[in-house]
Amino acid sequence: MTKQLEANEFVVLTDSKGREFMVRLQPGGRFHTHHGYVDHDALIGTYEGSTARSSRGHTLLVFRPTLSQIIMNMPRRAQVIYPKDIGTILVWADVFAGATVVEIGTGYGALAMALIRAVGENGRLISYEVREDFFQAAQETVKRYLGPCPQWTIRLQDALDGIHEQGVDRVLIDVPEPWQFLTVIQEALRPGGIVLCFTANALQVKSLHDGFESNGRFVLPQTIETLLRPWHVKGLSVRPAHRMTAHTGFITTARRAFDG
Ligand SMILES: C[S@@+](CC[C@H](N)C(=O)[O-])C[C@H]1O[C@@H](n2cnc3c(N)ncnc32)[C@H](O)[C@@H]1O
């Protein structure tokens, strides 16, 4: 559905060099670049895909942000999972509409936003975050970019003290020592459910696999990583970009076995 851009909405302005600027539209507001300024009032009431002209005559494309653009442009003081990994996580954890998902370690809420959208209005996401500042920040992030999300609950709690939920379809863990949580989540995750852990280095992967083995209730452990290589396509120059993000983290999954 084509909908006019409204006050308080976020837009991404892209200049002729592909640089992106995420802006919240405010009546009377003004966006400044070194190519001049654009009045927000000139954008409010227009449509996505329009062009705006700066005071110095430069053209900017105007779109509502994708989730990936929100994550890469949002203010944050903690590490977030990058969109390239979030895409893989959603499929490898097999997060589906209507699922009940537990997240351990919410940080600024980048992965939480993707999970909220993936489980949809009939699903549930329950996030556990131990730090009060991140607990607050994640709530502000989700409200700011997604608005009210009744399918989401965030608990200010150390997940090692226990998971309240039972019969959970998926558990996603982004903390430094995920193997410590296997005893806690074995009660919450239903047989056939999937646990997915995001870890930064190979020694953590080893400890996690050892943890699955000694716990005995998790089977089919698997570790992958996502390498995303952008391409430069301009005229006859069609080749991989010179730079890419070489390493972010490892994605490890396992299935909860049926006891006995
Ligand atoms: C790397 S951040 C998570 C980032 C998040 N996945 C994202 O995409 O924005 C890890 C978070 O785990 C939280 N954490 C660490 N141990 C925890 C525990 N035992 N229970 C709950 N949260 C924990 C930390 O406070 C931190 O906010």
Side-chain angles (χ1 to χ4, degrees):
M1 196 183 71
T2 311
K3 203 168 151 267
Q4 285 178 316
L5 297 172
E6 293 173 4
N8 288 319
E9 273 198 90
F10 285 93
V11 292
V12 170
L13 303 175
T14 308
D15 72 11
S16 57
K17 291 195 169 159
R19 284 176 297 214
E20 294 180 353
F21 310 92
M22 191 161 73
V23 177
R24 189 171 210 166
L25 297 177
Q26 305 284 355
R30 185 168 271 186
F31 164 70
H32 290 271
T33 71
H34 50 280
H35 291 315
Y37 63 82
V38 177
D39 284 325
H40 293 196
D41 289 337
L43 303 175
I44 295 169
T46 62
Y47 293 91
E48 279 189 271
S50 311
T51 49
R53 194 162 281 274
S54 79
S55 55
R56 290 212 215 141
H58 290 267
T59 300
L60 295 131
L61 279 165
V62 188
F63 286 97
R64 291 190 175 90
T66 62
L67 184 57
S68 164
Q69 288 172 318
I70 290 173
I71 291 169
M72 297 312 286
N73 290 292
M74 71 188 199
R76 56 181 193 261
R77 277 177 284 109
Q79 185 60 49
V80 296
I81 299 186
Y82 277 26
K84 79 171 178 75
D85 293 310
I86 289 180
T88 307
I89 286 169
L90 291 178
V91 175
W92 254 249
D94 193 37
V95 179
F96 55 93
T100 298
V101 177
V102 163
E103 177 197 37
I104 299 177
T106 310
Y108 263 59
L111 179 62
M113 285 196 287
L115 293 171
I116 288 167
R117 291 204 332 188
V119 300
E121 288 173 7
N122 296 322
R124 279 187 75 201
L125 172 67
I126 306 97
S127 298
Y128 286 76
E129 173 52 57
V130 74
R131 276 182 51 170
E132 174 131 32
D133 52 346
F134 290 151
F135 169 77
Q136 299 292 354
Q139 289 178 88
E140 281 160 27
T141 303
V142 169
K143 190 171 164 208
R144 179 176 242 253
Y145 298 110
L146 299 188
C149 296
Q151 69 269 51
W152 185 49
T153 305
I154 180 164
R155 302 191 193 285
L156 175 60
Q157 192 206 300
D158 185 334
L160 283 174
D161 291 342
I163 301 291
H164 300 270
E165 293 70 32
Q166 301 238 307
V168 169
D169 297 305
R170 310 288 184 247
V171 176
L172 284 88
I173 309 181
D174 182 13
V175 300
E177 299 183 338
W179 54 90
Q180 291 187 338
F181 296 77
L182 297 182
T183 314
V184 172
I185 66 165
Q186 75 190 27
E187 303 305 329
L189 198 57
R190 66 164 171 81
I194 298 175
V195 55
L196 182 148
C197 307
F198 187 79
T199 49
N201 74 62
L203 294 182
Q204 291 167 304
V205 171
K206 166 75 176 136
S207 299
L208 186 52
H209 279 253
D210 289 348
F212 286 137
E213 200 170 326
S214 59
N215 176 288
R217 290 178 172 84
F218 297 91
V219 294
L220 304 175
Q222 196 188 23
T223 294
I224 59 161
E225 64 178 316
T226 310
L227 302 180
L228 184 139
R229 188 168 68 166
W231 277 55
H232 169 91
V233 181
K234 198 165 188 187
L236 295 179
S237 171
V238 180
R239 53 161 175 78
H242 288 137
R243 293 196 192 93
M244 66 184 278
T245 305
H247 177 68
T248 50
F250 300 102
I251 293 167
T252 301
T253 54
R255 304 295 299 262
R256 173 73 165 94
F258 184 73
D259 291 334

mmCIF file with all atom_site columns, all heavy atoms in Angstrom, residues 127-146:
data_model
loop_
_atom_site.group_PDB
_atom_site.id
_atom_site.type_symbol
_atom_site.label_atom_id
_atom_site.label_alt_id
_atom_site.label_comp_id
_atom_site.label_asym_id
_atom_site.label_entity_id
_atom_site.label_seq_id
_atom_site.pdbx_PDB_ins_code
_atom_site.Cartn_x
_atom_site.Cartn_y
_atom_site.Cartn_z
_atom_site.occupancy
_atom_site.B_iso_or_equiv
_atom_site.pdbx_formal_charge
_atom_site.auth_seq_id
_atom_site.auth_comp_id
_atom_site.auth_asym_id
_atom_site.auth_atom_id
_atom_site.pdbx_PDB_model_num
ATOM 1   N N   . SER A 1 127 ? 12.410 -11.935 26.019 1.00 0.00 ? 127 SER A N   1
ATOM 2   C CA  . SER A 1 127 ? 13.841 -11.617 26.069 1.00 0.00 ? 127 SER A CA  1
ATOM 3   C C   . SER A 1 127 ? 14.298 -11.507 27.510 1.00 0.00 ? 127 SER A C   1
ATOM 4   O O   . SER A 1 127 ? 13.602 -10.916 28.341 1.00 0.00 ? 127 SER A O   1
ATOM 5   C CB  . SER A 1 127 ? 14.105 -10.275 25.365 1.00 0.00 ? 127 SER A CB  1
ATOM 6   O OG  . SER A 1 127 ? 13.745 -10.346 24.006 1.00 0.00 ? 127 SER A OG  1
ATOM 7   N N   . TYR A 1 128 ? 15.498 -12.050 27.797 1.00 0.00 ? 128 TYR A N   1
ATOM 8   C CA  . TYR A 1 128 ? 16.103 -11.941 29.125 1.00 0.00 ? 128 TYR A CA  1
ATOM 9   C C   . TYR A 1 128 ? 17.344 -11.063 29.020 1.00 0.00 ? 128 TYR A C   1
ATOM 10  O O   . TYR A 1 128 ? 18.230 -11.351 28.199 1.00 0.00 ? 128 TYR A O   1
ATOM 11  C CB  . TYR A 1 128 ? 16.502 -13.323 29.661 1.00 0.00 ? 128 TYR A CB  1
ATOM 12  C CG  . TYR A 1 128 ? 15.329 -14.149 30.103 1.00 0.00 ? 128 TYR A CG  1
ATOM 13  C CD1 . TYR A 1 128 ? 14.503 -14.764 29.175 1.00 0.00 ? 128 TYR A CD1 1
ATOM 14  C CD2 . TYR A 1 128 ? 15.023 -14.295 31.457 1.00 0.00 ? 128 TYR A CD2 1
ATOM 15  C CE1 . TYR A 1 128 ? 13.398 -15.508 29.583 1.00 0.00 ? 128 TYR A CE1 1
ATOM 16  C CE2 . TYR A 1 128 ? 13.922 -15.040 31.870 1.00 0.00 ? 128 TYR A CE2 1
ATOM 17  C CZ  . TYR A 1 128 ? 13.120 -15.640 30.931 1.00 0.00 ? 128 TYR A CZ  1
ATOM 18  O OH  . TYR A 1 128 ? 12.030 -16.363 31.332 1.00 0.00 ? 128 TYR A OH  1
ATOM 19  N N   . GLU A 1 129 ? 17.377 -10.017 29.835 1.00 0.00 ? 129 GLU A N   1
ATOM 20  C CA  . GLU A 1 129 ? 18.539 -9.117  29.830 1.00 0.00 ? 129 GLU A CA  1
ATOM 21  C C   . GLU A 1 129 ? 18.898 -8.801  31.270 1.00 0.00 ? 129 GLU A C   1
ATOM 22  O O   . GLU A 1 129 ? 18.055 -8.373  32.062 1.00 0.00 ? 129 GLU A O   1
ATOM 23  C CB  . GLU A 1 129 ? 18.213 -7.834  29.047 1.00 0.00 ? 129 GLU A CB  1
ATOM 24  C CG  . GLU A 1 129 ? 19.274 -6.760  29.116 1.00 0.00 ? 129 GLU A CG  1
ATOM 25  C CD  . GLU A 1 129 ? 20.690 -7.231  28.754 1.00 0.00 ? 129 GLU A CD  1
ATOM 26  O OE1 . GLU A 1 129 ? 20.884 -7.741  27.653 1.00 0.00 ? 129 GLU A OE1 1
ATOM 27  O OE2 . GLU A 1 129 ? 21.598 -7.085  29.610 1.00 0.00 ? 129 GLU A OE2 1
ATOM 28  N N   . VAL A 1 130 ? 20.168 -9.001  31.619 1.00 0.00 ? 130 VAL A N   1
ATOM 29  C CA  . VAL A 1 130 ? 20.592 -8.880  33.010 1.00 0.00 ? 130 VAL A CA  1
ATOM 30  C C   . VAL A 1 130 ? 20.924 -7.438  33.401 1.00 0.00 ? 130 VAL A C   1
ATOM 31  O O   . VAL A 1 130 ? 20.835 -7.078  34.577 1.00 0.00 ? 130 VAL A O   1
ATOM 32  C CB  . VAL A 1 130 ? 21.779 -9.839  33.279 1.00 0.00 ? 130 VAL A CB  1
ATOM 33  C CG1 . VAL A 1 130 ? 23.075 -9.324  32.658 1.00 0.00 ? 130 VAL A CG1 1
ATOM 34  C CG2 . VAL A 1 130 ? 21.964 -10.104 34.759 1.00 0.00 ? 130 VAL A CG2 1
ATOM 35  N N   . ARG A 1 131 ? 21.302 -6.616  32.432 1.00 0.00 ? 131 ARG A N   1
ATOM 36  C CA  . ARG A 1 131 ? 21.724 -5.243  32.767 1.00 0.00 ? 131 ARG A CA  1
ATOM 37  C C   . ARG A 1 131 ? 20.578 -4.262  32.606 1.00 0.00 ? 131 ARG A C   1
ATOM 38  O O   . ARG A 1 131 ? 19.935 -4.201  31.555 1.00 0.00 ? 131 ARG A O   1
ATOM 39  C CB  . ARG A 1 131 ? 22.889 -4.828  31.867 1.00 0.00 ? 131 ARG A CB  1
ATOM 40  C CG  . ARG A 1 131 ? 24.220 -5.323  32.417 1.00 0.00 ? 131 ARG A CG  1
ATOM 41  C CD  . ARG A 1 131 ? 25.378 -4.889  31.590 1.00 0.00 ? 131 ARG A CD  1
ATOM 42  N NE  . ARG A 1 131 ? 25.420 -3.449  31.305 1.00 0.00 ? 131 ARG A NE  1
ATOM 43  C CZ  . ARG A 1 131 ? 26.471 -2.854  30.752 1.00 0.00 ? 131 ARG A CZ  1
ATOM 44  N NH1 . ARG A 1 131 ? 27.535 -3.554  30.440 1.00 0.00 ? 131 ARG A NH1 1
ATOM 45  N NH2 . ARG A 1 131 ? 26.443 -1.559  30.509 1.00 0.00 ? 131 ARG A NH2 1
ATOM 46  N N   . GLU A 1 132 ? 20.382 -3.459  33.650 1.00 0.00 ? 132 GLU A N   1
ATOM 47  C CA  . GLU A 1 132 ? 19.265 -2.512  33.641 1.00 0.00 ? 132 GLU A CA  1
ATOM 48  C C   . GLU A 1 132 ? 19.384 -1.493  32.505 1.00 0.00 ? 132 GLU A C   1
ATOM 49  O O   . GLU A 1 132 ? 18.388 -1.153  31.862 1.00 0.00 ? 132 GLU A O   1
ATOM 50  C CB  . GLU A 1 132 ? 19.183 -1.790  34.985 1.00 0.00 ? 132 GLU A CB  1
ATOM 51  C CG  . GLU A 1 132 ? 18.144 -0.690  34.983 1.00 0.00 ? 132 GLU A CG  1
ATOM 52  C CD  . GLU A 1 132 ? 17.209 -0.727  36.161 1.00 0.00 ? 132 GLU A CD  1
ATOM 53  O OE1 . GLU A 1 132 ? 17.655 -1.158  37.229 1.00 0.00 ? 132 GLU A OE1 1
ATOM 54  O OE2 . GLU A 1 132 ? 16.050 -0.317  35.980 1.00 0.00 ? 132 GLU A OE2 1
ATOM 55  N N   . ASP A 1 133 ? 20.614 -0.999  32.228 1.00 0.00 ? 133 ASP A N   1
ATOM 56  C CA  . ASP A 1 133 ? 20.752 0.005   31.158 1.00 0.00 ? 133 ASP A CA  1
ATOM 57  C C   . ASP A 1 133 ? 20.385 -0.586  29.795 1.00 0.00 ? 133 ASP A C   1
ATOM 58  O O   . ASP A 1 133 ? 19.704 0.058   28.984 1.00 0.00 ? 133 ASP A O   1
ATOM 59  C CB  . ASP A 1 133 ? 22.166 0.628   31.153 1.00 0.00 ? 133 ASP A CB  1
ATOM 60  C CG  . ASP A 1 133 ? 23.291 -0.399  31.121 1.00 0.00 ? 133 ASP A CG  1
ATOM 61  O OD1 . ASP A 1 133 ? 23.023 -1.589  31.370 1.00 0.00 ? 133 ASP A OD1 1
ATOM 62  O OD2 . ASP A 1 133 ? 24.434 0.000   30.845 1.00 0.00 ? 133 ASP A OD2 1
ATOM 63  N N   . PHE A 1 134 ? 20.777 -1.833  29.533 1.00 0.00 ? 134 PHE A N   1
ATOM 64  C CA  . PHE A 1 134 ? 20.414 -2.449  28.261 1.00 0.00 ? 134 PHE A CA  1
ATOM 65  C C   . PHE A 1 134 ? 18.924 -2.813  28.237 1.00 0.00 ? 134 PHE A C   1
ATOM 66  O O   . PHE A 1 134 ? 18.283 -2.741  27.187 1.00 0.00 ? 134 PHE A O   1
ATOM 67  C CB  . PHE A 1 134 ? 21.267 -3.694  27.988 1.00 0.00 ? 134 PHE A CB  1
ATOM 68  C CG  . PHE A 1 134 ? 22.707 -3.372  27.681 1.00 0.00 ? 134 PHE A CG  1
ATOM 69  C CD1 . PHE A 1 134 ? 23.716 -4.264  27.975 1.00 0.00 ? 134 PHE A CD1 1
ATOM 70  C CD2 . PHE A 1 134 ? 23.059 -2.170  27.082 1.00 0.00 ? 134 PHE A CD2 1
ATOM 71  C CE1 . PHE A 1 134 ? 25.048 -3.971  27.691 1.00 0.00 ? 134 PHE A CE1 1
ATOM 72  C CE2 . PHE A 1 134 ? 24.387 -1.864  26.795 1.00 0.00 ? 134 PHE A CE2 1
ATOM 73  C CZ  . PHE A 1 134 ? 25.377 -2.773  27.104 1.00 0.00 ? 134 PHE A CZ  1
ATOM 74  N N   . PHE A 1 135 ? 18.406 -3.215  29.381 1.00 0.00 ? 135 PHE A N   1
ATOM 75  C CA  . PHE A 1 135 ? 16.968 -3.515  29.495 1.00 0.00 ? 135 PHE A CA  1
ATOM 76  C C   . PHE A 1 135 ? 16.150 -2.278  29.069 1.00 0.00 ? 135 PHE A C   1
ATOM 77  O O   . PHE A 1 135 ? 15.197 -2.376  28.296 1.00 0.00 ? 135 PHE A O   1
ATOM 78  C CB  . PHE A 1 135 ? 16.690 -3.912  30.948 1.00 0.00 ? 135 PHE A CB  1
ATOM 79  C CG  . PHE A 1 135 ? 15.253 -4.012  31.350 1.00 0.00 ? 135 PHE A CG  1
ATOM 80  C CD1 . PHE A 1 135 ? 14.479 -5.118  30.987 1.00 0.00 ? 135 PHE A CD1 1
ATOM 81  C CD2 . PHE A 1 135 ? 14.658 -3.024  32.117 1.00 0.00 ? 135 PHE A CD2 1
ATOM 82  C CE1 . PHE A 1 135 ? 13.151 -5.217  31.378 1.00 0.00 ? 135 PHE A CE1 1
ATOM 83  C CE2 . PHE A 1 135 ? 13.342 -3.115  32.516 1.00 0.00 ? 135 PHE A CE2 1
ATOM 84  C CZ  . PHE A 1 135 ? 12.584 -4.213  32.146 1.00 0.00 ? 135 PHE A CZ  1
ATOM 85  N N   . GLN A 1 136 ? 16.561 -1.096  29.555 1.00 0.00 ? 136 GLN A N   1
ATOM 86  C CA  . GLN A 1 136 ? 15.880 0.160   29.194 1.00 0.00 ? 136 GLN A CA  1
ATOM 87  C C   . GLN A 1 136 ? 16.120 0.494   27.728 1.00 0.00 ? 136 GLN A C   1
ATOM 88  O O   . GLN A 1 136 ? 15.195 0.842   26.992 1.00 0.00 ? 136 GLN A O   1
ATOM 89  C CB  . GLN A 1 136 ? 16.392 1.332   30.058 1.00 0.00 ? 136 GLN A CB  1
ATOM 90  C CG  . GLN A 1 136 ? 16.170 1.185   31.549 1.00 0.00 ? 136 GLN A CG  1
ATOM 91  C CD  . GLN A 1 136 ? 14.702 1.248   31.932 1.00 0.00 ? 136 GLN A CD  1
ATOM 92  O OE1 . GLN A 1 136 ? 13.848 1.517   31.102 1.00 0.00 ? 136 GLN A OE1 1
ATOM 93  N NE2 . GLN A 1 136 ? 14.409 0.960   33.180 1.00 0.00 ? 136 GLN A NE2 1
ATOM 94  N N   . ALA A 1 137 ? 17.389 0.367   27.316 1.00 0.00 ? 137 ALA A N   1
ATOM 95  C CA  . ALA A 1 137 ? 17.744 0.768   25.946 1.00 0.00 ? 137 ALA A CA  1
ATOM 96  C C   . ALA A 1 137 ? 17.010 -0.089  24.913 1.00 0.00 ? 137 ALA A C   1
ATOM 97  O O   . ALA A 1 137 ? 16.531 0.427   23.889 1.00 0.00 ? 137 ALA A O   1
ATOM 98  C CB  . ALA A 1 137 ? 19.254 0.653   25.744 1.00 0.00 ? 137 ALA A CB  1
ATOM 99  N N   . ALA A 1 138 ? 16.903 -1.398  25.183 1.00 0.00 ? 138 ALA A N   1
ATOM 100 C CA  . ALA A 1 138 ? 16.228 -2.280  24.224 1.00 0.00 ? 138 ALA A CA  1
ATOM 101 C C   . ALA A 1 138 ? 14.761 -1.884  24.086 1.00 0.00 ? 138 ALA A C   1
ATOM 102 O O   . ALA A 1 138 ? 14.203 -1.856  22.982 1.00 0.00 ? 138 ALA A O   1
ATOM 103 C CB  . ALA A 1 138 ? 16.348 -3.736  24.681 1.00 0.00 ? 138 ALA A CB  1
ATOM 104 N N   . GLN A 1 139 ? 14.139 -1.543  25.210 1.00 0.00 ? 139 GLN A N   1
ATOM 105 C CA  . GLN A 1 139 ? 12.728 -1.140  25.141 1.00 0.00 ? 139 GLN A CA  1
ATOM 106 C C   . GLN A 1 139 ? 12.557 0.148   24.340 1.00 0.00 ? 139 GLN A C   1
ATOM 107 O O   . GLN A 1 139 ? 11.626 0.287   23.548 1.00 0.00 ? 139 GLN A O   1
ATOM 108 C CB  . GLN A 1 139 ? 12.173 -0.948  26.549 1.00 0.00 ? 139 GLN A CB  1
ATOM 109 C CG  . GLN A 1 139 ? 12.001 -2.272  27.264 1.00 0.00 ? 139 GLN A CG  1
ATOM 110 C CD  . GLN A 1 139 ? 11.500 -2.094  28.673 1.00 0.00 ? 139 GLN A CD  1
ATOM 111 O OE1 . GLN A 1 139 ? 10.314 -2.051  28.909 1.00 0.00 ? 139 GLN A OE1 1
ATOM 112 N NE2 . GLN A 1 139 ? 12.423 -1.966  29.598 1.00 0.00 ? 139 GLN A NE2 1
ATOM 113 N N   . GLU A 1 140 ? 13.488 1.087   24.569 1.00 0.00 ? 140 GLU A N   1
ATOM 114 C CA  . GLU A 1 140 ? 13.413 2.346   23.801 1.00 0.00 ? 140 GLU A CA  1
ATOM 115 C C   . GLU A 1 140 ? 13.612 2.079   22.309 1.00 0.00 ? 140 GLU A C   1
ATOM 116 O O   . GLU A 1 140 ? 12.904 2.637   21.467 1.00 0.00 ? 140 GLU A O   1
ATOM 117 C CB  . GLU A 1 140 ? 14.477 3.329   24.298 1.00 0.00 ? 140 GLU A CB  1
ATOM 118 C CG  . GLU A 1 140 ? 14.058 4.030   25.576 1.00 0.00 ? 140 GLU A CG  1
ATOM 119 C CD  . GLU A 1 140 ? 15.239 4.624   26.336 1.00 0.00 ? 140 GLU A CD  1
ATOM 120 O OE1 . GLU A 1 140 ? 16.260 4.943   25.696 1.00 0.00 ? 140 GLU A OE1 1
ATOM 121 O OE2 . GLU A 1 140 ? 15.134 4.746   27.575 1.00 0.00 ? 140 GLU A OE2 1
ATOM 122 N N   . THR A 1 141 ? 14.569 1.210   21.990 1.00 0.00 ? 141 THR A N   1
ATOM 123 C CA  . THR A 1 141 ? 14.840 0.898   20.574 1.00 0.00 ? 141 THR A CA  1
ATOM 124 C C   . THR A 1 141 ? 13.603 0.312   19.903 1.00 0.00 ? 141 THR A C   1
ATOM 125 O O   . THR A 1 141 ? 13.185 0.754   18.830 1.00 0.00 ? 141 THR A O   1
ATOM 126 C CB  . THR A 1 141 ? 15.999 -0.127  20.463 1.00 0.00 ? 141 THR A CB  1
ATOM 127 O OG1 . THR A 1 141 ? 17.134 0.405   21.112 1.00 0.00 ? 141 THR A OG1 1
ATOM 128 C CG2 . THR A 1 141 ? 16.329 -0.444  19.030 1.00 0.00 ? 141 THR A CG2 1
ATOM 129 N N   . VAL A 1 142 ? 13.022 -0.697  20.543 1.00 0.00 ? 142 VAL A N   1
ATOM 130 C CA  . VAL A 1 142 ? 11.881 -1.383  19.925 1.00 0.00 ? 142 VAL A CA  1
ATOM 131 C C   . VAL A 1 142 ? 10.699 -0.425  19.767 1.00 0.00 ? 142 VAL A C   1
ATOM 132 O O   . VAL A 1 142 ? 10.065 -0.360  18.710 1.00 0.00 ? 142 VAL A O   1
ATOM 133 C CB  . VAL A 1 142 ? 11.505 -2.636  20.750 1.00 0.00 ? 142 VAL A CB  1
ATOM 134 C CG1 . VAL A 1 142 ? 10.175 -3.219  20.295 1.00 0.00 ? 142 VAL A CG1 1
ATOM 135 C CG2 . VAL A 1 142 ? 12.613 -3.683  20.649 1.00 0.00 ? 142 VAL A CG2 1
ATOM 136 N N   . LYS A 1 143 ? 10.443 0.380   20.795 1.00 0.00 ? 143 LYS A N   1
ATOM 137 C CA  . LYS A 1 143 ? 9.312  1.325   20.727 1.00 0.00 ? 143 LYS A CA  1
ATOM 138 C C   . LYS A 1 143 ? 9.541  2.365   19.629 1.00 0.00 ? 143 LYS A C   1
ATOM 139 O O   . LYS A 1 143 ? 8.648  2.683   18.843 1.00 0.00 ? 143 LYS A O   1
ATOM 140 C CB  . LYS A 1 143 ? 9.183  2.021   22.088 1.00 0.00 ? 143 LYS A CB  1
ATOM 141 C CG  . LYS A 1 143 ? 7.932  2.830   22.226 1.00 0.00 ? 143 LYS A CG  1
ATOM 142 C CD  . LYS A 1 143 ? 7.760  3.295   23.649 1.00 0.00 ? 143 LYS A CD  1
ATOM 143 C CE  . LYS A 1 143 ? 6.735  4.407   23.694 1.00 0.00 ? 143 LYS A CE  1
ATOM 144 N NZ  . LYS A 1 143 ? 6.936  5.316   24.791 1.00 0.00 ? 143 LYS A NZ  1
ATOM 145 N N   . ARG A 1 144 ? 10.775 2.830   19.572 1.00 0.00 ? 144 ARG A N   1
ATOM 146 C CA  . ARG A 1 144 ? 11.131 3.892   18.623 1.00 0.00 ? 144 ARG A CA  1
ATOM 147 C C   . ARG A 1 144 ? 10.975 3.436   17.174 1.00 0.00 ? 144 ARG A C   1
ATOM 148 O O   . ARG A 1 144 ? 10.433 4.154   16.337 1.00 0.00 ? 144 ARG A O   1
ATOM 149 C CB  . ARG A 1 144 ? 12.595 4.237   18.914 1.00 0.00 ? 144 ARG A CB  1
ATOM 150 C CG  . ARG A 1 144 ? 13.249 5.266   18.102 1.00 0.00 ? 144 ARG A CG  1
ATOM 151 C CD  . ARG A 1 144 ? 14.651 5.465   18.693 1.00 0.00 ? 144 ARG A CD  1
ATOM 152 N NE  . ARG A 1 144 ? 14.772 6.788   19.158 1.00 0.00 ? 144 ARG A NE  1
ATOM 153 C CZ  . ARG A 1 144 ? 15.505 7.717   18.541 1.00 0.00 ? 144 ARG A CZ  1
ATOM 154 N NH1 . ARG A 1 144 ? 16.181 7.411   17.465 1.00 0.00 ? 144 ARG A NH1 1
ATOM 155 N NH2 . ARG A 1 144 ? 15.558 8.921   18.994 1.00 0.00 ? 144 ARG A NH2 1
ATOM 156 N N   . TYR A 1 145 ? 11.444 2.202   16.875 1.00 0.00 ? 145 TYR A N   1
ATOM 157 C CA  . TYR A 1 145 ? 11.475 1.773   15.472 1.00 0.00 ? 145 TYR A CA  1
ATOM 158 C C   . TYR A 1 145 ? 10.318 0.864   15.073 1.00 0.00 ? 145 TYR A C   1
ATOM 159 O O   . TYR A 1 145 ? 9.961  0.819   13.906 1.00 0.00 ? 145 TYR A O   1
ATOM 160 C CB  . TYR A 1 145 ? 12.810 1.097   15.143 1.00 0.00 ? 145 TYR A CB  1
ATOM 161 C CG  . TYR A 1 145 ? 13.976 2.030   15.323 1.00 0.00 ? 145 TYR A CG  1
ATOM 162 C CD1 . TYR A 1 145 ? 14.878 1.862   16.361 1.00 0.00 ? 145 TYR A CD1 1
ATOM 163 C CD2 . TYR A 1 145 ? 14.150 3.119   14.473 1.00 0.00 ? 145 TYR A CD2 1
ATOM 164 C CE1 . TYR A 1 145 ? 15.937 2.742   16.550 1.00 0.00 ? 145 TYR A CE1 1
ATOM 165 C CE2 . TYR A 1 145 ? 15.196 4.003   14.652 1.00 0.00 ? 145 TYR A CE2 1
ATOM 166 C CZ  . TYR A 1 145 ? 16.081 3.813   15.698 1.00 0.00 ? 145 TYR A CZ  1
ATOM 167 O OH  . TYR A 1 145 ? 17.107 4.697   15.881 1.00 0.00 ? 145 TYR A OH  1
ATOM 168 N N   . LEU A 1 146 ? 9.750  0.124   16.025 1.00 0.00 ? 146 LEU A N   1
ATOM 169 C CA  . LEU A 1 146 ? 8.658  -0.788  15.654 1.00 0.00 ? 146 LEU A CA  1
ATOM 170 C C   . LEU A 1 146 ? 7.317  -0.363  16.232 1.00 0.00 ? 146 LEU A C   1
ATOM 171 O O   . LEU A 1 146 ? 6.283  -0.887  15.839 1.00 0.00 ? 146 LEU A O   1
ATOM 172 C CB  . LEU A 1 146 ? 8.962  -2.226  16.123 1.00 0.00 ? 146 LEU A CB  1
ATOM 173 C CG  . LEU A 1 146 ? 10.218 -2.909  15.566 1.00 0.00 ? 146 LEU A CG  1
ATOM 174 C CD1 . LEU A 1 146 ? 10.244 -4.368  15.991 1.00 0.00 ? 146 LEU A CD1 1
ATOM 175 C CD2 . LEU A 1 146 ? 10.294 -2.794  14.046 1.00 0.00 ? 146 LEU A CD2 1
#
